[in-house]
Amino acid sequence: MAVKTTQYIFNGQTYNLTYNSTSGKWEATVTAPSKSSYNQPDHVLGGTVKATDEAGNTTTVDQSHATLGASLKLRVKEKTAPTITITSPSAGAYITNTTPTIEFQVKDTDSGVNAGTIAVTVDGTAVSTVDISAHAHHRR
């Protein structure tokens, strides 16, 4: 029996696939979600394909399928970089000592920020930091 319909279920939406006789594949254009897949298991989003034949028999395959599952995993990369804001000293302030305290905030609205990856340099030289994790704010 021939396949009558094929659907792709992804991120809560069902897409009807169209057979491309040139490529021999069932295809659809799917819009990626606005959030990255970083916080998902294995950093990927999975989908499900449901094929139905002329007799009404249906087969469903998802990302856990041993043979086809890997091709149903989608990695969505984050589009917006984290932001860094200097909170102290204020813009235009005069610094009156040789070891000023510089405070900053790091924010990321999607995957989050790993405080262990933050480095501070002055004129290309790494400087020591005190409790950098307290100043690296992690927002999801």
Side-chain angles (χ1 to χ4, degrees), residues 3-5 8 17 21 26 30 48 70-71 87 94 110 113 118 127-128 133 138:
V3 173
K4 181 178 179 183
T5 62
Y8 178 57
L17 303 177
S21 58
W26 291 84
V30 177
T48 302
S71 62
T87 56
Y94 288 98
D110 194 346
V113 175
I118 297 172
V127 294
S128 63
S133 62
H138 183 251

Side-chain angles (χ1 to χ4, degrees), residues 2-97:
V3 173
K4 181 178 179 183
T5 62
T6 304
Q7 295 177 317
Y8 178 57
I9 299 98
F10 175 72
N11 202 29
Q13 298 221 5
T14 300
Y15 300 87
N16 292 316
L17 303 177
T18 304
Y19 183 71
N20 181 331
S21 58
T22 304
S23 69
K25 297 178 181 179
W26 291 84
E27 302 172 343
T29 300
V30 177
T31 303
S34 59
K35 291 280 189 181
S36 76
S37 59
Y38 183 81
N39 291 313
Q40 300 299 316
D42 298 324
H43 307 298
V44 296
L45 293 166
T48 302
V49 173
K50 187 165 107 174
T52 305
D53 67 13
E54 297 287 348
N57 300 308
T58 300
T59 297
T60 302
V61 174
D62 67 13
Q63 68 272 11
S64 65
H65 189 270
T67 305
L68 303 173
S71 62
L72 294 174
K73 292 179 181 179
L74 178 68
R75 186 174 308 270
V76 178
K77 294 188 176 184
E78 189 171 354
K79 297 176 186 172
T80 306
T83 59
I84 301 171
T85 306
I86 304 286
T87 56
S88 177
S90 60
Y94 288 98
I95 298 173
T96 58
N97 64 53

